[in-house]
Amino acid sequence: MKKSALYWYIHTLWVGWCYGQNRREHVFFFTEIQNTTIADSSGEWKPVDYTFEHGERPPMYSAVKGLLLLSFRAYMISIHISRPPGSSISVWLDGKQSNFPFVHEAESTLLNANSSFLDSRLDEMFVMDANLTSGDHQLLVDATGSEEHPVIFDRVEALTIGSSLVPTNYTTMASSLPAGTLVDDSDVLLRYSDSGWQRKEDPFCWENTLAVTSTPGSWLQVTFIGTGIWIYGVIPLEGTVVTIEALKKDGRETTRNTTMYNITRSDLDAPLYQAPLITQERLPYANAYAYNVTLISGSLQFDFMKSVELIDTICELAQPPMTESRETLFRTVPETSR
C-alpha cells in the first residue's frame, strides 16, 4: 500500500528526533590528548598560566613548534587554536591538506554547546569548523609560532552518532579489531630479514617506534594460530607494493599461497598513522600459519599487528632465522619533522 505524504512527514520527524537524541559531543583539551590512546602530540608543548572567567577547567598549552594527531569517528569537528602574528597553522584531514577556513571563536556556528568555554579576553583564539562524512577520520595539526608569540592550543570538539569516538579501523583501539594478541614491531615473536630495516622513533606510532625498510626483498615474518591477522603501520605518500607468502600447516600437510598487495593512496598530502596495511580474515581455525611480508617497491613502515594467538614455533614454516641480534639489525633514527 502506498504511504501518504503525512506518513513520510511524521517518519522524517521521528528519524530526525532519534538522530538528535543519539548525538554526542566530545571535548579534547590538551591533557586529554596526552592521555588517550587515539590521540598524541609532538613538540615542546607547555601549559599556559591563565585564569579563566568561567572557573576551573583544563589549561591551554602553547608551543613554538608543535604537532597534534587525533584519530576518531565523528561527523563534525572543531579545532580551537590561536593564530598569533607570523604563525603558521597547517591542518590535514584524512591525509589531505584542509581548506576549511579559520574564523574567530565567537563566530563559530558549528558547535555551540560549549559556549561556556569562551573567554572574552582571548581575542586571538580562532576555530576551524569542519563538516565530515560519518565514519573514521584522522586529524593532523602542525603549528608554528615564535618565542615571542607561541601558538596556543585550547581544545578539539567532535560530534558523533552514539557515545563512542573510537575509530573503526585506526589505532590499537580500533573497534574492528577482535580480542587477541597485540604485537609491537620490536616484539621477539617477529622475524626480520638480516638487512634493510631501520628502527624509527615516532610519537604517533604505537609504543613510539616504527620498523621501516625501503630495500626491495626485505621481509618480516610472523607465525600464528587463529582466524585472521591485522597488520598496521604508516600509509606513506609514495606507493608501496608487497607480497604476502602465506604458509598454512593443517596436520601434516603444508600449503603455500602468495598474494601481492598495493599499499597506496594517491590522494594523500600527509601520511596516515596506525592505519591498517594488510588484513586477512575468516581463515580456517586451528591451522598454523606463517606470513612472510616482502617489500617489492616503495617503503614498508610497520607499526604493530594483531592476531588471536601468535607463536614462535613451526620452524619448518619459517624462513631462516636472523643471524644477528635485533640490536644490530636496526639502525635507530630519530623522529624527523613532517
Side-chain angles (χ1 to χ4, degrees):
M1 184 175 66
K2 186 176 180 179
K3 296 180 174 59
S4 66
L6 178 61
Y7 169 87
W8 288 114
Y9 176 73
I10 296 174
H11 179 268
T12 302
L13 291 178
W14 170 253
V15 170
W17 181 85
C18 292
Y19 183 88
Q21 291 296 309
N22 208 23
R23 191 182 82 165
R24 296 292 185 273
E25 182 170 10
H26 303 262
V27 181
F28 277 89
F29 293 99
F30 195 90
T31 49
E32 278 82 17
I33 287 182
Q34 287 183 312
N35 296 325
T36 181
T37 55
I38 61 174
D40 215 328
S41 63
S42 174
E44 296 188 6
W45 292 91
K46 301 176 182 179
V48 177
D49 185 12
Y50 189 90
T51 302
F52 291 91
E53 293 177 340
H54 300 285
E56 294 185 4
R57 43 152 285 184
M60 299 182 295
Y61 276 68
S62 68
V64 174
K65 173 70 174 177
L67 295 163
L68 299 169
L69 181 75
L70 175 64
S71 301
F72 60 97
R73 183 175 181 83
Y75 67 91
M76 290 182 183
I77 194 165
S78 178
I79 308 166
H80 298 252
I81 197 167
S82 72
R83 304 184 71 196
S87 66
S88 172
I89 311 291
S90 298
V91 177
W92 292 267
L93 275 169
D94 304 326
K96 301 176 186 178
Q97 186 112 34
S98 170
N99 57 1
F100 294 103
F102 279 92
V103 298
H104 216 271
E105 189 173 50
E107 300 172 4
S108 173
T109 58
L110 182 59
L111 299 173
N112 297 315
N114 285 324
S115 58
S116 60
F117 294 150
L118 295 179
D119 195 306
S120 60
R121 296 168 293 167
L122 295 179
D123 294 334
E124 73 275 16
M125 296 305 292
F126 288 79
V127 59
M128 189 204 79
D129 294 332
N131 287 288
L132 310 171
T133 57
S134 182
D136 280 5
H137 298 282
Q138 192 167 101
L139 170 72
L140 177 63
V141 180
D142 187 344
T144 303
S146 64
E147 291 291 344
E148 183 180 3
H149 298 288
V151 173
I152 299 174
F153 171 81
D154 186 13
R155 65 191 186 277
V156 170
E157 300 179 36
L159 290 179
T160 66
I161 301 300
S163 59
S164 179
L165 190 69
V166 174
T168 303
N169 296 305
Y170 290 124
T171 79
T172 58
M173 297 297 295
S175 60
S176 65
L177 289 176
T181 305
L182 195 63
V183 175
D184 186 46
D185 61 276
S186 61
D187 198 283
V188 295
L189 291 177
L190 301 174
R191 289 189 173 98
Y192 290 89
S193 56
D194 287 345
S195 61
W197 290 91
Q198 294 179 338
R199 172 67 35 73
K200 181 181 178 183
E201 298 174 357
D202 194 314
F204 295 153
C205 297
W206 189 52
E207 301 291 358
N208 299 323
T209 61
L210 192 68
V212 180
T213 182
S214 298
T215 304
S218 298
W219 53 265
L220 70 88
Q221 183 194 76
V222 60
T223 54
F224 65 96
I225 296 175
T227 58
I229 189 167
W230 295 260
I231 300 175
Y232 272 63
V234 176
I235 299 180
L237 303 187
E238 70 272 17
T240 297
V241 178
V242 301
T243 60
I244 293 188
E245 184 182 26
L247 295 91
K248 180 180 73 172
K249 186 175 180 62
D250 183 7
R252 296 183 178 180
E253 182 181 357
T254 300
T255 58
R256 183 188 306 264
N257 182 49
T258 301
T259 306
M260 183 170 291
Y261 274 79
N262 191 348
I263 306 172
T264 302
R265 284 278 304 272
S266 59
D267 58 338
L268 294 182
D269 302 314
L272 296 174
Y273 295 88
Q274 296 193 41
L277 304 180
I278 299 163
T279 300
Q280 295 275 293
E281 299 179 279
R282 299 177 182 176
L283 301 174
Y285 187 70
N287 291 327
Y289 298 90
Y291 269 41
N292 298 324
V293 182
T294 303
L295 179 66
I296 302 301
S297 62
S299 172
L300 178 57
Q301 304 184 38
F302 166 62
D303 191 358
F304 64 89
M305 65 175 61
K306 192 167 191 180
S307 184
V308 174
E309 181 181 3
L310 274 73
I311 54 178
D312 57 1
T313 56
I314 325 178
C315 297
E316 65 271 22
L317 292 182
Q319 293 199 27
M322 298 184 297
T323 58
E324 303 177 69
S325 68
R326 186 173 303 274
E327 287 72 20
T328 60
L329 282 178
F330 286 93
R331 179 170 62 88
T332 301
V333 295
E335 175 195 355
T336 55
S337 60
R338 294 168 176 81

